[in-house]
Amino acid sequence: MKKYLSMMLACAMLASLAGCASNSATDSSAASGGELVNSADIGTGAASEPETAVGGSSADDTAPTATAAPTTTAAAVDRSEGETGAFEDFDIVADSATGDSFDVMTKDDYASVDGFGGAEAPTEGVVATTVWDDEYIEEPYIQPEAGMLTGGEWNDNENWNAWVSLYQTHEEWEFYREEWQIDFDVRHEVIVTAFGKPLEGAKVTQRGCGDIGVTSAVTDNEGKAYLFLDECGDDMEHVIDVTYGEVNMTIEGVDPAKSGTYTVDFENSSLAQGEVDASEALELMLMIDTTGSMWDELQYLQQELKDVITRVKQENANIPIRVSVNFYRDEGDEYVIREFDFTEDIESALSDLAAQEADGGGDFPEAVHTALDSAVKGHEWKSNATKLMFFVLDAPPHSDMQIIDQVNDSVEIAAANGIRIIPVASSGIDKTTEYLLRTMAFRTGGTYTFLTDDSGIGGGHIEPTIGDYEVEKLNDLMVRVIGEYLQ
C-alpha cells in the first residue's frame, strides 16, 4: 500500500507532462468500487486556501477555512509542507471509526484533525484516501468485526514437488533465492514414530554437511520434521540424529545431494511407552506490522485475531494456552518493537492488541529482522508445547546483507526450537516478499496464509503462485490451522 501511494504521488508530480495522475486515480477508484472526485466538482467542499498547509500533530493545528456542502464527504488536501513537515512523504486520510474526524496518517505523525481542511466531518461510512492535492478516492467504510476478512492457505511442504518445479517454470524464482540468500538445494523429510503413533517433539539434526541451511528441527504432531541444506561433498559422513529425551537414534545412508524422506521408529529403542508425552500446552504468538501501510486492514485484523484467540481458548479448555502479542515498525519510528511476554491472561493480551494503531514506516521495507529476533530470542517459549507464531505483515525486511543474514539466522533458530512461523500476508505484499515468507513457513514446519480480495476490504492482494486453494473467512482459517497443529 505504501509503495502504491508513493507511486501515485510521483505520478501526480508528472501529471502536467504525462497526464498520469488522473488516470491512476481513476483506475484505483474503479478497483475499490469508489468514485474519483476533484475539488472542482465539489464546490464548497474544497479548501478555500489551497496554498495553506494542512496537518500537524494535534487537532489544534490551523486549517484553511471552508464551508462544506451537506453531501460533501471530504475536503481537498494541500500538500505544501507544514510546520511539522507532516506531508513530506505521503499522506493518507480516512474517517475514524466514530465518523467524527479524519485520521491523518503520515510518515512523521498520526494526527486526528477534527473537520479536516475546515470542512465538516465525512459522511458516515466513507473513507477518503488522498492521492494528490485536490484529488482523492472515496471508498466505503465498513465497521470492523470478526469474519469479514478472507484468506487462503498453502503448505509448500505438502506440495514440495510443486515448489521445486517453480524454479524451472518461473525464472524469477532463482533471482528471489539469490536475493534472500536461501542457500539450500536439498530437503530431507524425517518422519518419527513410536509405538504405532507419530512422535511429537523429537529433535532431528543433520550431521555432515556443515551449518548451511536448516540443519536442526523438531517433529510436529504428525511426527514430521524438515531439514534444508546445501549440497556438500561425498567424502563427508552424512547421518541424521533423532533424539527424544535421553534416547538417541541415527539414520545412516543419507544422500546429501538428493531430497528424500527418511523414517525412524523408537518402538524398538530403549524409550519406554510411558515416556512419550503429547504436547502439554499451546504457545500462541502474534507478531504484527503496525506501520502506516497497515492502516487499511489493521482494525479488521484486530477483530479477527481477537476472535481467533477467544475461540481457540474456548475450544481447547483442556490444555494451558499462553498468548504473546507483539508489534513492530521500523527504525526512526515511535518504536521499533513493542513486546509483550507470554501470558495466560487472555483478556490482558486482547486489550494490548486492541490498543494498537498504524503509523510510521515511510519506505517499503520494515524492521522484519528485529521482529523475528524478538520472537525467537526475546521470549521464553515452553519446551513441551506446540509453538505457533502468526506473522502479520505487508512488507519485506530491508535488503542489507547483514539484515538478510539476521533474518535467515532467526528462521533457523525458530526451526531448531520447534517454533512454526505462519505468515499472514496482507495487502501490499509483492512477489519477492511472498517467496521469502513461504520459505519462512516451510523451513520451520509452518504454513503460508494470505489475505485475498474476496472481502473487498483493504488494498489489493496479489494472487500467490500456488495451486488451487479454498477461500475462507480468515478467522475460521486461522482457528482451523491452529487446531491441525494440536490434533
Side-chain angles (χ1 to χ4, degrees):
M1 187 67 176
K2 223 180 301 182
K3 191 173 184 179
Y4 169 75
L5 284 171
S6 298
M7 177 193 74
M8 293 295 291
L9 295 177
C11 187
M13 294 177 68
L14 301 174
S16 60
L17 296 176
C20 64
S22 172
N23 293 335
S24 297
T26 303
D27 292 343
S28 301
S29 177
S32 64
E35 177 183 359
L36 177 66
V37 182
N38 189 286
S39 62
D41 300 324
I42 62 177
T44 56
S48 59
E49 300 178 38
E51 296 306 315
T52 303
V54 180
S57 59
S58 73
D60 296 327
D61 285 53
T62 302
T65 303
T67 302
T71 57
T72 298
T73 59
V77 177
D78 179 74
R79 213 173 166 281
S80 302
E81 186 174 338
E83 293 181 1
T84 63
F87 298 113
E88 183 177 308
D89 187 20
F90 66 86
D91 44 283
I92 306 170
V93 180
D95 67 326
S96 66
T98 63
D100 294 334
S101 64
F102 280 105
D103 292 333
V104 183
M105 286 173 279
T106 70
K107 174 183 177 181
D108 299 311
D109 72 345
Y110 182 101
S112 183
V113 182
D114 193 29
F116 183 79
E120 293 180 358
T123 302
E124 184 176 358
V126 172
V127 170
T129 304
T130 61
V131 176
W132 186 263
D133 289 340
D134 58 356
E135 293 180 317
Y136 59 87
I137 300 169
E138 293 181 9
E139 297 181 357
Y141 176 84
I142 307 172
Q143 184 66 33
E145 59 182 54
M148 299 181 73
L149 294 180
T150 54
E153 179 210 0
W154 183 259
N155 191 314
D156 282 297
N157 276 318
E158 294 180 357
N159 297 277
W160 190 247
N161 289 336
W163 171 266
V164 173
S165 70
L166 290 174
Y167 289 102
Q168 283 74 52
T169 58
H170 293 69
E171 61 182 23
E172 68 274 17
W173 233 240
E174 189 63 43
F175 169 78
Y176 300 152
R177 173 159 68 172
E178 294 176 2
E179 179 181 11
W180 299 118
Q181 297 297 298
I182 309 298
D183 295 325
F184 58 80
D185 300 292
V186 176
R187 185 195 77 155
H188 290 153
E189 178 185 43
V190 182
I191 302 175
V192 185
T193 58
F195 310 103
K197 295 181 179 180
L199 184 59
E200 182 179 6
K203 186 80 169 185
V204 178
T205 304
Q206 170 77 36
R207 202 156 36 90
C209 281
D211 58 358
I212 297 177
V214 173
T215 57
S216 186
V218 177
T219 56
D220 60 17
N221 58 318
E222 294 183 348
K224 294 180 180 179
Y226 304 93
L227 303 175
F228 300 87
L229 56 149
D230 194 12
E231 291 188 21
C232 51
D234 291 334
D235 57 339
M236 302 179 69
E237 179 186 20
H238 307 290
V239 300
I240 295 175
D241 292 321
V242 183
T243 305
Y244 188 87
E246 300 298 322
V247 182
N248 180 78
M249 298 190 71
T250 299
I251 303 173
E252 298 180 346
V254 177
D255 188 339
K258 183 179 179 181
S259 295
T261 299
Y262 300 88
T263 62
V264 60
D265 191 348
F266 273 74
E267 185 166 358
N268 296 319
S269 70
S270 60
L271 181 68
Q273 189 165 357
E275 296 176 315
V276 177
D277 296 318
S279 175
E280 296 179 349
L282 170 63
E283 303 277 90
L284 181 61
M285 174 179 284
L286 303 179
M287 182 62 75
I288 305 172
D289 178 348
T290 52
T291 54
S293 61
M294 289 291 292
W295 76 274
D296 59 333
E297 289 170 330
L298 182 60
Q299 291 184 48
Y300 300 95
L301 284 162
Q302 286 167 316
Q303 295 301 314
E304 303 288 0
L305 296 172
K306 174 183 177 181
D307 180 70
V308 170
I309 294 172
T310 301
R311 287 168 57 185
V312 168
K313 177 65 175 177
Q314 292 173 344
E315 295 175 11
N316 298 276
N318 58 321
I319 63 172
I321 296 177
R322 296 200 308 164
V323 176
S324 172
V325 294
N326 304 270
F327 313 93
Y328 73 97
R329 291 181 179 172
D330 205 358
E331 299 294 336
D333 289 336
E334 177 187 357
Y335 61 84
V336 179
I337 188 76
R338 180 174 284 170
E339 302 170 305
F340 294 89
D341 293 335
F342 278 105
T343 178
E344 293 183 5
D345 186 346
I346 303 302
E347 290 304 317
S348 174
L350 293 177
S351 178
D352 292 330
L353 172 63
Q356 308 308 313
E357 296 178 336
D359 189 18
D363 56 359
F364 186 41
E366 310 298 3
V368 172
H369 65 297
T370 306
L372 286 169
D373 185 77
S374 167
V376 301
K377 298 179 184 177
H379 292 75
E380 294 185 6
W381 297 80
K382 286 186 177 180
S383 57
N384 191 18
T386 297
K387 308 177 188 72
L388 305 178
M389 171 193 164
F390 283 91
F391 197 9
V392 184
L393 72 170
D394 69 350
H398 293 272
S399 57
D400 178 88
M401 286 305 302
Q402 184 176 355
I403 287 177
I404 293 174
D405 287 344
Q406 286 182 260
V407 168
N408 284 317
D409 181 61
S410 292
V411 171
E412 291 169 23
I413 293 172
N417 288 277
I419 302 170
R420 321 291 173 187
I421 298 177
I422 305 173
V424 181
S426 305
S427 66
I429 289 291
D430 59 9
K431 277 295 166 185
T432 183
T433 310
E434 175 196 328
Y435 178 96
L436 177 63
L437 296 182
R438 286 171 66 178
T439 65
M440 287 183 189
F442 70 63
R443 291 162 72 187
T444 61
T447 188
Y448 181 67
T449 70
F450 49 91
L451 299 183
T452 71
D453 286 340
D454 300 85
S455 67
I457 296 171
H461 306 86
I462 62 169
E463 189 68 21
T465 308
I466 57 177
D468 294 335
Y469 65 91
E470 180 182 351
V471 176
E472 305 174 64
K473 297 290 186 182
L474 179 66
N475 56 341
D476 293 341
L477 184 158
M478 293 178 68
V479 171
R480 173 181 63 77
V481 167
I482 293 170
E484 289 174 354
Y485 282 99
L486 293 174
Q487 292 175 355

